[in-house]
Amino acid sequence: MPKRKAAGDAEPAKKAKAEAGGTSSQSDFSSNAKTKSGKHWNLKIASWNVDGLRGTVKKNGHAYITQEDPDIICLQETKCTDKDVPKEFTSTVEGYHGYWYSPTEKKGYAGTALLSKTKPHKVTYGIGVEEHDDEGRVITAEFDNFYMVTAYVPNAGKKLVRLDYRQTWDEAFTDYLKKLDKKKPVVLCGDLNVAHNEIDLKNPKTNRNKTPGFTDQEREGFTSLLDQGFKDSYRELYPEETDCYTFWTYMGGARAKNVGWRLDYFVLSDRLMPHLCDNVIRSGVMGSDHCPIVLLLAMGK
């Protein structure tokens, strides 16, 4: 896909830390991020759980896309079909190739979207397992040098009623990603509905094994994925950064207090790590109970 020229003067580590604290500029998203070998980024991918696209548009959240100007943008929890996309959003993403995946039965629930300036070679929906493919949770786009996968992973539910199902999902999804990885490297993004380690949420002790997203089983499921040849790109860059969250409940002024969870990820195949420039949390961007995250890669021959 076409490569872009990077611009900006912010140091990646300092910028990520500032934005994770909610102080990022909402008009200047430039970056001079480089790989460890000194190559500038030329591919920008954004991911955002919009918690209902129509609601985000009403809050003018779609303006973020124009400001960010990503090459690929992935959305989760769209809660609409392609026929229900607000015209304001459609005009914002004019020029992108858009792909939408909605539940087969539950309207206004879950759903994912993938939009790309470059047309993918192939786009598929779901993971090929019937019991997991009726809620519109996974879109895969094949490009020259990688697979782009966006996912909205099932929540374990109140009182963990779907925890058993979540475990079967994690196993099937890991198998799916492993099969892709044998063909081409994988970039996985989205709301993975797990805070992997204690550093990834504000109150680990009071939430462990009580709140969906921080059970031992869900955390072990993510560890198992990483053990199959994948990396959590944010923690590879910022292993000790604290208070870096992507989700805040609407209750109790959690976002203003930065009482949050890091539930949104860019997970990369190991062999893409030399191409990694930065992973930024856009915590200053409003419009949802999640904020966008951005991946910068240096892709080339």
Side-chain angles (χ1 to χ4, degrees), residues 18 68 86 260:
E68 186 72 72

Side-chain angles (χ1 to χ4, degrees), residues 50-51 54-62 250 286-289:
V50 292
D51 188 31
R54 286 168 287 190
T56 296
V57 168
K58 287 180 180 178
K59 300 172 186 175
N60 199 39
H62 59 295
Y250 286 123
M286 310 302 286
S288 170
D289 51 359

Side-chain angles (χ1 to χ4, degrees), residues 99-112:
Y99 307 91
W100 301 81
Y101 190 30
S102 304
T104 54
E105 296 183 2
K106 298 180 181 179
K107 293 185 177 181
Y109 174 77
T112 46

Side-chain angles (χ1 to χ4, degrees), residues 3-32:
K3 306 304 186 294
R4 305 202 319 179
K5 185 177 180 181
D9 56 6
E11 290 295 330
K14 293 180 180 178
K15 184 175 183 182
K17 181 63 175 178
E19 294 193 357
T23 59
S24 64
S25 166
Q26 294 191 30
S27 59
D28 181 9
F29 292 139
S30 60
S31 171
N32 72 340

Side-chain angles (χ1 to χ4, degrees), residues 50 52-54 75-80 100-102 110-113:
V50 292
L53 181 60
R54 286 168 287 190
L75 305 176
Q76 304 86 42
E77 206 171 359
T78 53
K79 298 182 181 179
C80 67
W100 301 81
Y101 190 30
S102 304
T112 46

Side-chain angles (χ1 to χ4, degrees), residues 165-192:
Y165 172 73
R166 169 63 184 269
Q167 290 177 263
T168 63
W169 161 277
D170 284 345
E171 292 175 5
F173 191 44
T174 296
D175 287 343
Y176 174 73
L177 295 172
K178 286 168 58 180
K179 290 177 182 177
L180 291 180
D181 188 52
K182 290 180 180 179
K183 301 174 185 177
K184 289 182 181 181
V186 173
V187 176
L188 164 66
C189 74
D191 177 359
L192 304 190

